[in-house]
């Protein structure tokens, strides 16, 4: 959401800057009206537009990138004495900010609704008479004429005395006919909802000023004496205008209106500026739309030997947590209690050790009693509680079906420029494939790769490669496949895993280490 708001705000700023620099001073007010309204809508829509782009899938090169590891080397760990569980409560600033936003927005929406109610009450309490396509609301007090929807508010005394200038009535009638009040209601509502974005203040001023340009244009088409109309506007400035949801009547705005009336227009220049909006929109789409990268796999779709299931996409919940199709169902509507969570964490802490390299804590083996209790509490946890748990349970995966390569495929894989080969989880040179025939393998998977120059350099140094391969190939020998199937079948109905959510360098990750 923060990224969306950031993109939307940048769009608004760029559209507004283009308007102020290129369009505002041109006499193409109808176009400018729709440009301002359209730029607001585009700024909300463009960041939501996504384009699909195909990329090659990333290589699985180290343990931190894999989702499942089938065994844990117990010799690589050392015991750590358990310490007391931290009891400090964290302040949820996200909820505090959300509540604060809602309170302010509701207050502003109430004020917005109150202003509309006051205008409607003023209509209901005063005399209303028809005037062309509008209605005149005759007010007791002496006010500057203004409009709301199809109503024009004027002083009853001035109307009776017939002292309301014809130019002023034409001006206000234009506001009614062109439905300028709808624009103001639209921008006022956005200001109430997005009160934290100051750009809407400038958009409102630009929209209101453009309304005045449009109304002035209509007056000048009916009244040829431009100087008399300008003097009339200067007289009205001294009266001020405190009307709700109407355009301001002040010296700054009036000065811009007077300048616009005497400005000449160049049709070619205006046309070019109008057409410039098309490439501007294209640039905004290119910069601020979302690009969805779709991994491009090999022709034969197989599960990767390190990543597991491809038959059903994983579902993302919470922050960074994925639920696979093997996730255990939640049996409690309310989730685990605080006492159960404390007990769960205490059991985990009691069984926590640290790897010999010291890069992360880990749980390996637990007693049957601890395992049963952990599983019972885990089944009660809701998804948010499970996300915070270091230990999890899930139904064991089904073994992958056999996929025997052809002789032609085996020969093709011998090219080191195109293929990096792993056999039973170990990297080999492509020449080693000469020692095998196609029937020696029971399973394979291949995936195209995408990598940065740094990744390419690291991989080549790690495996002592002269050239970087393009496709990663994972092969299982017949013996390796049998061992893999036997391992799957030997697992309990619900397998336990240790859930790692932080890498040593502090970057957020997620991978699971199976515990037997």
């Amino acid at each position: 959401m923060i990224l969306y708001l950031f993109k939307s705000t940048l769009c608004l700023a760029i559209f507004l800057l283009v308007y102020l620099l290129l369009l505002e001073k041109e006499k193409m007010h109808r176009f400018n009206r729709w440009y301002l309204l359209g730029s607001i809508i585009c700024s909300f829509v463009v960041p939501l537009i996504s384009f699909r782009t195909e990329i090659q899938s990333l290589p699985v090169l180290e343990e931190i990138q894999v989702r499942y590891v089938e065994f844990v080397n117990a010799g690589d760990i050392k015991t750590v004495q358990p310490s007391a569980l931290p009891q400090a409560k964290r302040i949820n600033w996200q909820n505090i900010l959300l509540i604060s936003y809602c309170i302010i927005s509701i207050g502003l929406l109430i004020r917005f609704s109150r202003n509309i109610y006051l205008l409607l009450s003023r209509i209901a309490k005063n005399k209303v008479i028809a005037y062309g396509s509008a209605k005149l609301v005759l007010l007791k007090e002496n006010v500057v004429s203004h409009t709301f929807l199809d109503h024009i508010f004027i002083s009853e005394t001035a109307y009776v005395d017939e002292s309301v200038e014809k130019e002023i009535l034409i001006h206000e009638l234009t506001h009614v006919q062109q439905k300028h009040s709808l624009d103001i209601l639209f921008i006022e509502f956005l200001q109430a909802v997005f009160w934290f974005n100051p750009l809407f203040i400038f958009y409102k001023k630009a929209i209101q000023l453009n309304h005045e340009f449009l109304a002035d244009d209509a007056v000048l088409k009916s009244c040829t004496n431009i100087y008399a109309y300008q003097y009339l506007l200067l007289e009205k400035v001294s009266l001020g205008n405190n009307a709700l949801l109407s355009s301001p009547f002040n010296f700054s705005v009036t000065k811009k209106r007077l300048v616009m009336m005497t400005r000449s227009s160049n049709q070619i220049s205006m046309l070019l500026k109008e057409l410039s909006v098309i490439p501007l929109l294209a640039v905004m789409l290119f910069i601020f739309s979302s690009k969805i990268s779709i991994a491009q796999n090999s022709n034969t779709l197989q599960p990767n030997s390190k990543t597991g299931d491809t038959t059903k996409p994983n579902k993302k919940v919470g922050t960074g947590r994925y639920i696979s199709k093997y996730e255990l169902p939640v049996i409690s509507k309310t989730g685990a209690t605080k006492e159960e969570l404390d007990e769960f964490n205490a059991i985990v802490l009691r069984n926590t050790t640290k790897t010999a390299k010291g890069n992360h804590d880990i749980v390996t083996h637990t007693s049957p009693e601890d395992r049963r209790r952990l599983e019972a509490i885990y089944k009660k946890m809701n998804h948010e509680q499970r996300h915070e748990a270091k230990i999890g349970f899930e139904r064991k995966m089904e073994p992958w079906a056999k996929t025997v390569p052809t002789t032609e495929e085996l020969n093709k894989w011998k090219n080191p420029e195109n293929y990096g080969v792993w056999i039973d989880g170990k990297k080999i040179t492509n020449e080693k494939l000469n020692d095998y025939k196609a029937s020696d393998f029971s399973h394979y998977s291949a995936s195209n790769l995408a990598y940065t120059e740094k990744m390419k350099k690291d991989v080549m140094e790690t495996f002592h490669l002269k050239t970087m391969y393009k496709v990663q190939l994972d092969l299982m020998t017949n013996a390796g496949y049998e061992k893999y199937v036997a391992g799957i079948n030997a697992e309990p109905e619900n397998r336990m895993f240790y859930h790692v959510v932080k890498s040593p360098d502090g970057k957020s990750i997620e991978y699971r280490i199976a515990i037997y």
Side-chain angles (χ1 to χ4, degrees):
M1 176 58 74
I2 294 177
L3 178 60
Y4 168 77
L5 291 175
F6 178 73
K7 288 183 176 181
S8 179
T9 300
L10 281 180
C11 282
L12 280 170
I14 294 173
F15 277 125
L16 181 60
L17 183 62
V18 170
Y19 174 78
L20 295 176
L21 294 178
L22 294 181
L23 306 178
E24 184 183 45
K25 296 179 180 180
E26 294 289 348
K27 299 185 74 170
M28 45 187 194
H29 311 310
R30 289 184 183 274
F31 176 84
N32 285 349
R33 179 190 182 187
W34 297 116
Y35 174 88
L36 288 168
L37 296 175
S39 62
I40 294 174
I41 296 172
C42 285
S43 297
F44 285 117
V45 174
V46 166
L48 296 176
I49 297 175
S50 59
F51 296 97
R52 294 163 60 96
T53 58
E54 289 190 352
I55 63 167
Q56 297 173 328
S57 56
L58 294 175
V60 180
L61 298 174
E62 53 183 343
E63 181 191 56
I64 203 168
Q65 292 175 292
V66 305
R67 189 165 173 77
Y68 293 99
V69 178
E70 298 302 328
F71 61 89
V72 173
N73 184 1
D76 191 38
I77 59 176
K78 60 180 180 180
T79 303
V80 174
Q81 296 297 326
S83 57
L85 286 171
Q87 299 296 326
K89 293 184 178 179
R90 293 178 296 179
I91 299 175
N92 194 328
W93 292 108
Q94 185 175 0
N95 286 345
I96 293 175
L97 291 174
L98 180 61
I99 292 171
S100 301
Y101 163 77
C102 291
I103 291 174
I104 296 175
S105 294
I106 290 172
L108 293 174
L109 287 172
I110 290 174
R111 188 184 71 172
F112 173 62
S113 302
R114 178 178 175 272
N115 289 341
I116 296 176
Y117 171 76
L118 291 176
L119 284 169
L120 295 177
S121 297
R122 184 176 290 183
I123 294 171
K125 293 177 181 179
N126 290 278
K127 185 177 180 180
V128 179
I129 60 176
Y131 181 78
S133 57
K135 298 174 183 176
L136 297 180
V137 181
L138 306 182
L139 304 179
K140 302 295 183 182
E141 61 270 25
N142 187 24
V143 297
V144 175
S145 302
H146 56 279
T147 63
F148 177 68
L149 297 178
D150 59 345
H151 291 80
I152 301 175
F153 298 84
I154 62 173
S155 168
E156 183 177 12
T157 302
Y159 177 77
V160 172
D161 295 343
E162 296 183 352
S163 59
V164 180
E165 295 82 356
K166 175 185 176 184
E167 292 86 353
I168 297 299
L169 288 176
I170 294 175
H171 183 98
E172 299 301 333
L173 188 60
T174 302
H175 285 315
V176 171
Q177 292 171 340
Q178 297 184 7
K179 304 185 186 302
H180 292 167
S181 293
L182 296 180
D183 301 358
I184 301 301
L185 289 173
F186 174 64
I187 194 67
E188 288 273 1
F189 175 78
L190 291 179
Q191 274 192 282
V193 176
F194 299 98
W195 49 267
F196 52 85
N197 191 339
L199 289 176
F200 287 111
I201 298 174
F202 298 102
Y203 265 94
K204 179 182 175 181
K205 290 180 178 179
I207 289 172
Q208 289 177 323
L209 178 59
N210 190 64
H211 287 170
E212 297 307 308
F213 290 159
L214 285 165
D216 289 339
D217 256 3
V219 172
L220 295 177
K221 288 177 181 178
S222 301
C223 307
T224 56
N225 192 339
I226 183 174
Y227 299 107
Y229 180 57
Q230 289 178 328
Y231 284 123
L232 178 60
L233 292 180
L234 291 173
E235 289 178 8
K236 299 299 180 182
V237 172
S238 60
L239 297 177
N241 180 18
N242 298 319
L244 301 171
L245 300 176
S246 65
S247 299
F249 216 124
N250 55 55
F251 180 77
S252 176
V253 171
T254 303
K255 179 181 178 182
K256 291 180 179 179
R257 292 168 62 186
L258 296 178
V259 171
M260 182 60 70
M261 291 179 200
T262 57
R263 177 166 287 148
S264 58
S265 58
N266 185 308
Q267 296 298 322
I268 296 178
S269 174
M270 289 193 297
L271 178 61
L272 291 175
K273 290 182 178 181
E274 289 176 0
L275 292 176
S276 68
V277 174
I278 298 175
L280 172 64
L281 182 58
V283 170
M284 302 293 264
L285 280 170
F286 178 77
I287 296 175
F288 296 108
S289 61
S290 302
K291 284 79 178 176
I292 299 178
S293 299
I294 308 299
Q296 191 178 48
N297 297 321
S298 58
N299 293 333
T300 306
L301 177 62
Q302 296 295 338
N304 185 284
S305 60
K306 296 182 185 294
T307 56
D309 175 42
T310 62
T311 58
K312 183 178 180 180
N314 294 327
K315 178 182 179 183
K316 186 174 183 179
V317 298
T319 49
R321 175 67 195 278
Y322 289 84
I323 298 180
S324 72
K325 71 172 186 176
Y326 301 105
E327 184 80 7
L328 299 182
V330 178
I331 64 174
S332 172
K333 293 183 179 179
T334 58
T337 64
K338 183 181 182 302
E339 292 74 17
E340 289 172 328
L341 292 175
D342 289 342
E343 180 185 359
F344 185 94
N345 291 330
I347 296 173
V348 172
L349 185 62
R350 186 167 65 240
N351 290 276
T352 297
T353 55
K354 187 177 288 290
T355 61
K357 297 178 182 178
N359 57 349
H360 58 74
D361 296 333
I362 194 171
V363 174
T364 53
H365 299 282
T366 60
S367 66
E369 295 77 15
D370 283 347
R371 183 186 178 104
R372 282 194 293 269
R373 186 56 184 155
L374 287 171
E375 184 175 349
I377 298 175
Y378 187 82
K379 288 179 179 179
K380 291 184 178 181
M381 291 183 186
N382 56 38
H383 293 306
E384 288 73 19
Q385 291 170 336
R386 291 181 180 184
H387 173 65
E388 299 296 329
K390 290 185 176 180
I391 288 293
F393 292 85
E394 63 185 1
R395 289 178 286 109
K396 67 179 181 181
M397 296 184 294
E398 299 90 350
W400 300 320
K402 283 189 176 183
T403 53
V404 180
T406 65
T407 302
E408 291 76 12
E409 287 175 322
L410 192 64
N411 290 331
K412 180 176 64 175
W413 295 337
K414 295 176 183 178
N415 183 352
E417 293 186 358
N418 291 331
Y419 296 93
V421 183
W422 274 255
I423 293 182
D424 291 338
K426 295 181 180 180
K427 178 74 173 69
I428 66 164
T429 60
N430 296 67
E431 291 80 3
K432 287 285 186 182
L433 288 176
N434 291 321
D435 300 334
Y436 295 89
K437 55 183 181 293
S439 58
D440 291 333
F441 300 103
S442 293
H443 184 273
Y444 74 93
S445 63
S447 57
N448 296 327
L449 305 181
Y451 41 76
T452 63
E453 286 301 315
K454 184 180 184 305
M455 290 176 61
K456 177 180 177 180
K457 180 180 178 182
D458 291 343
V459 172
M460 292 178 68
E461 288 180 356
T462 301
F463 298 113
H464 309 289
L465 304 176
K466 294 181 179 179
T467 59
M468 182 61 185
Y469 54 88
K470 301 175 182 177
V471 178
Q472 179 170 313
L473 180 70
D474 291 275
L475 293 162
M476 277 191 191
T477 61
N478 296 331
Y481 182 77
E482 290 178 4
K483 182 179 179 181
Y484 156 74
V485 173
I488 292 290
N489 292 334
E491 291 181 13
E493 181 181 357
N494 294 329
R495 61 189 255 164
M496 184 167 69
F497 61 85
Y498 186 80
H499 184 211
V500 181
V501 294
K502 285 287 183 181
S503 62
D505 59 4
K507 294 181 179 179
S508 296
I509 59 149
E510 175 181 290
Y511 71 102
R512 300 178 178 187
I513 300 177
I515 305 170
Y516 302 103

